[in-house]
């Protein structure tokens, strides 16, 4: 029996504005598409947060027993500066500035993207297609949309006819926009554009002589529109109708709105059952932006080489910090906030280590099944990681009760407690079990245990001044000793 058969998962659907019970189109199988990065610069922390949200969603769906095809693309062409309809391709501009080929830029920053995500213990997607690898598929979709009467050619470019489309469908249903209001609030183009209406968007753009990235097409030499790329790649690998489409909140309009329109104009139906959007990450209460200098790269968090944080933080702590907020909530990154997360993370991992050292009794005086059920209820409620983390700390409270001799657990219940902690911390939340953090933890434990032995020796020699000095100096470093009937243990605050 698969776990999903006994769980009721609810997901907030941006299309309806409500939490809905998740039932996949094909039983036991989930198709999920997430808009990936435009690889023209180092991946920034806000993007990492979005991808981390969907990494956890991917992990939980797998944990429930679903077979998941997770497609996350690489945008390596067609994305213009400032998400505009006119101007220069982001990658081509970076290539021009650095005097490199566009594909050198793509390769450099795709490698950076993969390196950062690997460092943060992301699972790789099932398929990672590129926009430039699907030019033919995009052109075929354009032909269908033109054939259905919802696009037109103008001077070597092809534009989507939003007004014509809106006569039969609803352009704006995802973002809550009204086409009449959009038209009323847009100035006339005064003949400076080939578009019939300001709201029309490019499916194919004519490449000017200086434009580096260019491909032949039935309409002339050009390059694809940004919105079209995701429509082509998602439907190729997941079908004309699939379960989940995700991305950052900033993509809801126009990118995802245009995706819906393109699919409906091509196939006659909406492409996705659940639209999911992760909220933004801000820095010290302000929007992250390279133009203002208010930004930090993930690598700078790990190295400590920045002017924002007081020290370096491990990838596990950075990951734990982001998951302490719900994916649909705005998250404010600051030195104080991540310092607090580090303390919480250390306390959680110390509790897990303690749980692994517990000994079972013949009977239980605690209900592990109720606590385990609460962990699942948190994730089943639209992947609520902060509530799950609160439940994990509740699990550590149970561990401490047993350790202090105030409660007992049978062998079966102790095993269930240990397994559930491991499953949700490592398999679902994606906290790494190996690497620098575990090495540091092992070394810390060895040093503190050595200090505990020195303290015990001092007490045996009735040198209580030295015994108290060891205890107090460790406490000043955030390490609290706890004397119990079975000896002395410690926790990191």
């Amino acid at each position: 029996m698969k776990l999903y058969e006994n769980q009721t998962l609810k997901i907030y659907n941006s299309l309806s504005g409500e939490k809905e019970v998740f039932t996949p189109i094909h039983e036991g199988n989930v198709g999920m598409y997430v808009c990936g990065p435009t690889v023209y610069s180092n991946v920034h922390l806000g993007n990492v947060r979005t991808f981390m949200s969907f990494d956890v969603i991917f992990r939980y769906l797998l944990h429930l027993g679903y077979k998941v095809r997770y497609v996350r693309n690489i945008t390596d062409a067609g994305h213009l500066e400032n998400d505009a309809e006119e101007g220069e391709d982001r990658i081509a501009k970076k290539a021009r500035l650095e005097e490199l080929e566009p594909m050198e830029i793509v390769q450099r920053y795709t490698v950076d993207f993969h390196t950062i995500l690997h460092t943060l213990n992301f699972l790789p997607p099932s398929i990672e297609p590129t926009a430039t690898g699907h030019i033919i598929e995009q052109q075929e979709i354009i032909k269908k949309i033109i054939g259905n009467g919802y696009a037109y050619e103008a001077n070597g470019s092809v534009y989507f006819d939003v007004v014509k489309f809106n006569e039969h469908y609803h352009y704006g249903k995802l973002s809550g926009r009204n086409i009449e209001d959009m038209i009323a609030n847009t100035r006339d183009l005064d003949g400076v554009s080939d578009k019939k209406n300001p709201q029309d968007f490019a499916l194919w753009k004519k490449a000017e002589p200086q434009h580096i990235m260019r491909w032949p097409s039935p309409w002339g030499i050009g390059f694809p529109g940004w919105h079209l790329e995701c429509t082509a790649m998602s439907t190729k690998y997941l079908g004309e109708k699939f379960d989940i489409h995700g991305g950052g909140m900033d993509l809801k309009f126009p990118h995802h709105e245009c995706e819906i329109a393109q699919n409906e104009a091509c196939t006659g139906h909406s492409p996705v059952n659940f639209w999911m959007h992760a909220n933004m990450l801000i820095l010290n209460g302000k929007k992250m932006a390279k133009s203002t200098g208010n930004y930090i790269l993930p690598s700078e968090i790990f190295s400590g080489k920045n002017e924002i944080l007081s020290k370096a933080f491990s990838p596990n702590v950075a990951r734990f910090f982001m998951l302490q907020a719900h994916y649909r909530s705005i998250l404010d990154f600051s030195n104080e906030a991540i310092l607090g997360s580090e303390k919480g993370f250390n306390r959680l991992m110390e509790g897990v280590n303690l749980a692994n050292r517990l000994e079972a009794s013949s009977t239980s005086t605690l209900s592990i099944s109720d606590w385990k059920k609460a962990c699942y209820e948190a994730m089943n409620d639209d992947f609520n990681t902060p509530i799950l983390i609160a439940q994990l700390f509740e699990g550590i409270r149970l561990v401490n009760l047993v350790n202090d001799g105030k409660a007992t657990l049978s062998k079966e219940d102790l095993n269930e407690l240990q397994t559930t902690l491991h499953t949700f911390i490592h398999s679902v939340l994606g906290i790494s079990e190996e690497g620098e953090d575990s090495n540091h933890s092992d070394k810390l434990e060895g040093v503190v245990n050595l200090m505990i032995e020195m303290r015990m020796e001092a007490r045996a020699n009735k040198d209580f001044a030295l015994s108290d000095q060891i205890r107090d100096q460790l406490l000043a470093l955030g390490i609290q000793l706890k004397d119990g009937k079975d000896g002395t243990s410690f926790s990191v605050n």
Side-chain angles (χ1 to χ4, degrees):
M1 181 179 289
K2 302 291 187 181
L3 279 175
Y4 63 75
E5 294 176 357
N6 292 323
Q7 302 292 331
T8 302
L9 172 62
K10 289 188 175 181
I11 299 177
Y12 182 86
N13 191 346
S14 297
L15 198 57
S16 66
E18 297 178 352
K19 292 178 187 176
E20 301 174 11
V21 175
F22 176 70
T23 303
I25 296 170
H26 303 289
E27 184 178 352
N29 294 268
V30 177
M32 180 170 74
Y33 184 90
V34 173
C35 294
T38 301
V39 282
Y40 70 101
S41 64
N42 297 108
V43 61
H44 65 73
L45 203 59
N47 282 340
V48 168
R49 189 209 175 183
T50 294
F51 301 132
M52 187 178 294
S53 297
F54 289 99
D55 180 62
V56 171
I57 290 166
F58 181 34
R59 286 172 173 273
Y60 188 61
L61 292 171
L62 290 173
H63 171 68
L64 290 181
Y66 287 111
K67 183 179 180 181
V68 186
R69 179 175 289 175
Y70 174 22
V71 182
R72 186 187 66 212
N73 76 296
I74 295 289
T75 295
D76 57 354
H79 194 170
L80 302 188
E81 281 285 289
N82 303 314
D83 300 341
E85 283 293 322
E86 305 293 336
E88 195 167 12
D89 183 288
R90 290 183 176 189
I91 293 165
K93 180 179 180 180
K94 192 65 174 283
R96 177 174 55 79
L97 292 174
E98 297 195 14
E99 298 182 338
L100 296 170
E101 280 292 320
M103 286 301 114
E104 287 183 274
I105 296 296
V106 166
Q107 179 69 10
R108 173 187 297 178
Y109 294 114
T110 299
V111 169
D112 170 73
F113 175 67
H114 288 151
T115 299
I116 293 300
L117 266 55
H118 177 74
T119 302
L120 286 161
N121 200 36
F122 280 58
L123 295 177
S126 313
I127 302 173
E128 193 172 51
T130 64
T132 56
H134 296 77
I135 298 297
I136 293 174
E137 289 86 347
Q138 294 173 69
Q139 292 181 1
E140 290 303 309
I141 290 175
I142 294 173
K143 292 176 186 176
K144 290 181 181 178
I145 296 176
I146 292 175
N148 290 337
Y150 296 114
Y152 55 91
E153 181 184 356
N155 192 28
S157 295
V158 180
Y159 295 99
F160 190 92
D161 193 332
V162 171
V163 173
K164 181 70 177 296
F165 171 80
N166 204 58
E167 293 175 2
H168 303 93
Y169 299 93
H170 178 194
Y171 181 79
K173 64 181 179 182
L174 178 66
S175 57
R177 285 169 164 80
N178 182 289
I179 185 68
E180 288 79 13
D181 293 338
M182 284 189 268
I183 292 173
N185 293 329
T186 307
R187 62 178 177 78
D188 292 333
L189 293 175
D190 296 328
V192 299
S193 171
D194 295 318
K195 294 193 286 187
K196 293 180 180 178
N197 302 289
Q199 286 70 35
D200 295 350
F201 56 89
L203 299 175
W204 187 263
K205 287 288 293 180
K206 177 183 178 180
E208 300 302 327
Q210 70 274 14
H211 201 282
I212 307 172
M213 304 181 82
R214 52 205 294 131
W215 291 266
S217 80
W219 314 283
I221 301 296
F223 57 94
W226 172 40
H227 311 308
L228 184 67
E229 297 168 357
C230 287
T231 293
M233 290 182 279
S234 63
T235 55
K236 175 170 181 175
Y237 298 108
L238 298 175
E240 292 183 355
K241 187 83 172 180
F242 55 96
D243 298 296
I244 298 171
H245 192 313
M249 195 76 76
D250 57 319
L251 297 181
K252 185 183 288 188
F253 186 88
H255 187 52
H256 290 161
E257 195 75 71
C258 293
E259 278 194 64
I260 292 175
Q262 289 166 164
N263 275 278
E264 291 180 335
C266 184
T267 66
H269 60 77
S270 189
V272 181
N273 281 348
F274 286 82
W275 285 89
M276 300 182 67
H277 293 93
N279 216 325
M280 67 174 147
L281 184 73
I282 58 177
L283 177 59
N284 291 323
K286 299 177 182 178
K287 183 178 179 180
M288 283 199 188
K290 288 191 175 183
S291 59
T292 62
N294 191 55
Y295 75 97
I296 187 169
L297 298 176
S299 58
E300 294 173 333
I301 298 173
F302 309 149
S303 68
K305 296 178 180 178
N306 60 81
E307 298 180 356
I308 295 170
L309 302 178
S310 58
K311 60 190 282 292
F313 294 91
S314 71
N316 264 346
V317 169
R319 186 175 181 106
F320 184 74
F321 164 77
M322 292 199 205
L323 297 179
Q324 283 186 291
H326 189 264
Y327 77 90
R328 288 192 290 113
S329 301
I330 293 175
L331 177 59
D332 191 358
F333 183 86
S334 68
N335 185 61
E336 293 73 19
I338 196 168
L339 277 171
S341 287
E342 185 179 51
K343 290 181 179 179
F345 173 77
N346 289 336
R347 192 164 69 249
L348 180 64
M349 299 314 295
E350 177 60 30
V352 171
N353 290 334
L354 182 58
N356 292 334
R357 297 196 297 265
L358 290 181
E359 294 185 2
S361 300
S362 57
T363 59
S364 294
T365 58
L366 296 172
S367 175
I368 298 304
S369 60
D370 289 346
W371 165 74
K372 181 178 178 180
K373 181 182 177 183
C375 290
Y376 278 99
E377 287 175 346
M379 287 303 289
N380 287 338
D381 183 16
D382 194 30
F383 311 99
N384 201 321
T385 56
I387 299 299
L388 171 62
I389 290 172
Q391 288 299 333
L392 294 175
F393 277 112
E394 172 62 17
I396 300 306
R397 187 185 72 83
L398 301 181
V399 168
N400 288 324
L401 286 175
V402 175
N403 184 63
D404 294 340
K406 297 177 181 178
T408 60
L409 287 175
S410 67
K411 185 176 181 180
E412 182 181 344
D413 283 345
L414 176 57
N415 181 64
E416 187 169 25
L417 172 65
Q418 293 168 336
T419 301
T420 303
L421 282 171
H422 183 278
T423 295
F424 280 101
I425 292 172
H426 300 302
S427 298
V428 175
L429 292 183
I431 301 298
S432 174
E433 297 181 67
E434 301 177 357
E436 183 179 6
D437 297 320
S438 58
N439 290 336
H440 282 181
S441 178
D442 291 343
K443 290 176 183 177
L444 174 64
E445 187 170 353
V447 171
V448 174
N449 284 333
L450 179 63
M451 299 299 294
I452 289 173
E453 289 179 15
M454 292 174 61
R455 180 169 174 263
M456 289 174 62
E457 186 177 344
R459 294 175 74 178
N461 295 330
K462 297 186 178 181
D463 188 350
F464 299 113
L466 178 58
S467 170
D468 292 345
Q469 181 182 3
I470 292 173
R471 180 198 63 202
D472 294 343
Q473 289 191 352
L474 285 173
L475 184 62
L477 294 171
I479 301 168
Q480 183 175 8
L481 301 184
K482 298 178 182 178
D483 296 318
K485 62 178 183 178
D486 296 323
T488 301
S489 62
F490 73 92
S491 61
V492 180
N493 301 318

